[in-house]
Amino acid sequence: MKQIVFLFLLLLACSCVRQPEIVGPVPTQQQLEWQRMETYAFIHFGLNTFNGMEWGYGDTPAATFNPSNLDCEQWVLTLKACGMKGVILTAKHHDGFCLWPTETTAYSIKNSPYKNGQGDVVGELCEACRKHGLKFGVYLSPWDRHQASYGTPEYVELYHRQIQELVDHYGPFFEFWFDGANGGNGWYGGTNETRSIKAEEYYRYDKAREIIWAKYPHTMIFGGTVPTLRWIGNEEGSANSTLWCTYSLDFDDLNNTRLLATGIADGEVWLPAEVDVSIRPGWFYHENEQPKSLEQLLDIYYHSVGRNANLLLNFPVASDGRISAADSTRAVEWYHALQNTFSEDLLKDRKGRVDNRRAPRSEMIFSFDMPTTVKCLVLQENIMSGQKVQRFSINYYRNGKWLPIETDEEMTTIGYKRIIRFKPVEMEKLRIRIIKTKGEVELIRVSAY
Ligand code: FUL
């Protein structure tokens, strides 16, 4: 009898701690940790910094690389001062020039005047990241306009050896970037030809990932055929209002900018989106270019992190080897503006009245003690049980009436994080309604600012 009572109590306890219903694909622990980073930096630096180009042809002499005052700690401290959680460096861009003393080619920092050929920018940045607690990642362009063997299996072996060297000497990497550009023409050992390859077969990305994961299994992978995150489909810094973390691993889909922009609502894998954009017009530093305005950068934040994507913001290091004062001032100003906006959650300690009677649809109402001006809301779903919300609405109560807020944002998906900016209004109550959903919704955050 005692045993039966115990069993009954156990069953009762289990049914009270009800697990949220899982709908569709969910993130791995690694993807979840990566999504929580929200903002991190890109650094484009290399021969292009000195020859004024964006896509070096592969023939600029290695000796052109000559930063007078390079200081990776200055990069790291600057990036930390604007809230970046990590940094991804172009260890090799399309021109093939390597920023570490590789054994695979003479086209590297070894043959430059920098520290008389004894320098190692990948190593120096990796070290500075470790010292100051910033996550580290690398971009290694598969397309190599310098190598004579590009287009043959020999080059792919060389490319894999480069990955192996990076894995052996640096890391851990929070993210490894396989760029998608394969423009065709290049120097290619002086042949000056146009060469085309079939990227989905040629680079043997599965092998590349194996090399990385053998030592660093938690590395997130951008690009190629084996990604664990995906591109947003543009370089303007703007994700779509409707954005699903679910996607497909079909290579055509991975290159379909229209699909990448929204994700696939019933996609079979969890593949969260990354918005990559430069603080200046170019990815590399050009003296005549200026950083984006504060307003542009704020829009970029709300259109990336605010729309369920991560933001990879590029800083072009200048030819003296530093992030320019104009860029760092603007970026810090941007970070402080965001910190200001999100400093005080007006709903802190305020429990919403939840009406789940019509689950999976539901509604939440928050009451303020006195009329309060609100201009923005932050919503987060518990993505560990899947991304579910398909449509929601936000209303406010004032002078005896429920009114809609005024915004350009479509109120469709939420996902890991959604920020809705609207025309500031004074309200007595706030109401969030889940109108359409794939399953029972669990909002783990509703904040108002
Ligand atoms: C693109 C490249 O072609 C650009 O030069 C830059 O590196 C950007 C981040 O990715 O595909």
Side-chain angles (χ1 to χ4, degrees):
M1 182 62 185
K2 247 193 205 154
Q3 273 156 332
I4 293 176
V5 171
F6 176 72
L7 206 67
F8 176 75
L9 288 176
L10 191 73
L11 280 174
L12 193 71
C14 291
S15 64
C16 289
V17 198
R18 208 161 48 85
Q19 292 298 316
E21 168 204 16
I22 292 180
V23 176
V26 295
T28 60
Q29 191 56 34
Q30 206 47 42
Q31 287 172 319
L32 181 67
E33 274 169 36
W34 176 86
Q35 288 188 261
R36 285 183 177 146
M37 290 175 72
E38 299 187 1
T39 57
Y40 42 87
F42 228 166
I43 295 253
H44 274 66
F45 186 50
L47 287 178
N48 294 339
T49 311
F50 301 87
N51 64 19
M53 299 175 86
E54 276 291 316
W55 276 14
Y57 192 63
D59 59 347
T60 301
T64 314
F65 184 82
N66 192 14
S68 49
N69 207 5
L70 194 152
D71 181 1
C72 291
E73 283 198 49
Q74 186 257 352
W75 308 356
V76 169
L77 294 173
T78 302
L79 300 177
K80 286 199 76 169
C82 53
M84 298 291 148
K85 305 293 188 311
V87 58
I88 300 176
L89 170 68
T90 51
K92 177 182 89 166
H93 202 253
H94 310 327
D95 61 13
F97 181 77
C98 296
L99 288 182
W100 80 101
T102 175
E103 297 292 324
T104 61
T105 173
Y107 203 47
S108 87
I109 196 162
K110 254 191 200 172
N111 289 306
S112 81
Y114 176 60
K115 293 190 175 171
N116 293 318
Q118 302 299 307
D120 175 359
V121 180
V122 178
E124 288 160 38
L125 181 57
C126 182
E127 191 47 43
C129 282
R130 194 167 304 147
K131 180 166 168 192
H132 297 287
L134 200 69
K135 292 191 180 183
F136 179 61
V138 283
Y139 167 119
L140 189 72
S141 171
W143 183 29
D144 190 319
R145 305 175 95 184
H146 179 80
Q147 290 302 325
S149 63
Y150 183 80
T152 69
E154 203 186 312
Y155 168 75
V156 180
E157 263 171 48
L158 176 142
Y159 184 63
H160 289 176
R161 271 191 284 129
Q162 293 185 332
I163 298 174
Q164 186 70 59
E165 283 186 359
L166 292 172
V167 167
D168 287 346
H169 301 292
Y170 318 100
F173 310 106
F174 78 94
E175 185 170 328
F176 210 105
W177 241 75
F178 299 130
D179 191 81
N182 279 292
N185 68 336
W187 184 71
Y188 304 129
T191 56
N192 300 305
E193 290 174 337
T194 295
R195 295 182 184 175
S196 60
I197 51 93
K198 225 175 159 202
E200 66 270 45
E201 287 160 19
Y202 181 59
Y203 297 115
R204 291 168 52 220
Y205 281 116
D206 47 340
K207 176 82 197 303
R209 181 175 70 174
E210 218 175 279
I211 300 171
I212 301 166
W213 281 5
K215 185 162 176 197
Y216 297 121
H218 299 308
T219 308
M220 290 286 287
I221 296 188
F222 176 98
T225 55
V226 288
T228 54
L229 69 114
R230 73 173 201 269
W231 188 39
I232 199 63
N234 70 69
E235 292 177 344
E236 316 306 317
S238 186
N240 210 290
S241 275
T242 303
L243 189 64
W244 292 96
C245 290
T246 42
Y247 208 69
S248 125
L249 283 179
D250 177 275
F251 196 70
D252 289 337
D253 292 344
L254 289 170
N255 289 285
N256 180 331
T257 49
R258 192 185 48 81
L259 271 186
L260 286 165
T262 55
I264 302 177
D266 56 359
E268 69 266 24
V269 289
W270 190 269
L271 208 61
E274 178 181 84
V275 168
D276 63 324
V277 61
S278 186
I279 195 168
R280 288 176 175 237
W283 292 100
F284 285 90
Y285 187 85
H286 308 290
E287 206 147 8
N288 57 346
E289 292 182 354
Q290 294 305 316
K292 294 187 163 66
S293 69
L294 177 60
E295 284 65 34
Q296 284 174 308
L297 288 181
L298 287 171
D299 281 347
I300 286 174
Y301 178 83
Y302 288 106
H303 294 165
S304 55
V305 176
R307 289 180 176 171
N308 190 28
N310 271 1
L311 170 60
L312 172 55
L313 181 63
N314 180 64
F315 292 78
V317 164
S319 53
D320 62 354
R322 291 175 174 248
I323 294 176
S324 78
D327 294 1
S328 60
T329 309
R330 182 56 44 78
V332 169
E333 192 186 357
W334 166 77
Y335 180 54
H336 287 169
L338 290 172
Q339 277 189 313
N340 242 335
T341 300
F342 298 107
S343 62
E344 199 204 334
D345 179 0
L346 300 168
L347 295 179
K348 195 167 140 259
D349 307 326
R350 205 164 285 276
K351 276 226 157 42
R353 187 167 59 74
V354 182
D355 185 350
N356 260 335
R357 279 172 302 180
R358 290 164 303 159
R361 288 134 138 255
S362 60
E363 114 177 354
M364 282 175 115
I365 295 179
F366 298 88
S367 305
F368 293 101
D369 295 335
M370 58 178 79
T372 304
T373 302
V374 181
K375 60 174 186 183
C376 144
L377 285 192
V378 179
L379 306 173
Q380 291 192 271
E381 275 185 77
N382 174 14
I383 54 173
M384 288 316 278
S385 65
Q387 188 180 342
K388 298 174 189 165
V389 178
Q390 293 164 294
R391 182 162 296 282
F392 61 100
S393 66
I394 302 172
N395 289 81
Y396 69 97
Y397 191 81
R398 180 80 179 130
N399 298 330
K401 267 196 274 191
W402 282 107
L403 298 161
I405 55 153
E406 268 182 59
T407 179
D408 291 336
E409 288 288 311
E410 275 183 52
M411 282 178 276
T412 46
T413 51
I414 296 178
Y416 165 74
K417 187 182 252 191
R418 188 70 199 278
I419 307 177
I420 307 286
R421 278 190 294 180
F422 47 91
K423 195 165 151 236
V425 273
E426 212 179 44
M427 55 178 77
E428 294 155 37
K429 293 181 202 173
L430 170 73
R431 184 178 75 198
I432 296 150
R433 265 194 184 152
I434 306 298
I435 298 168
K436 192 164 180 234
T437 167
K438 291 178 166 185
E440 201 174 327
V441 179
E442 213 191 334
L443 289 188
I444 52 171
R445 176 168 172 196
V446 178
S447 303
Y449 300 92

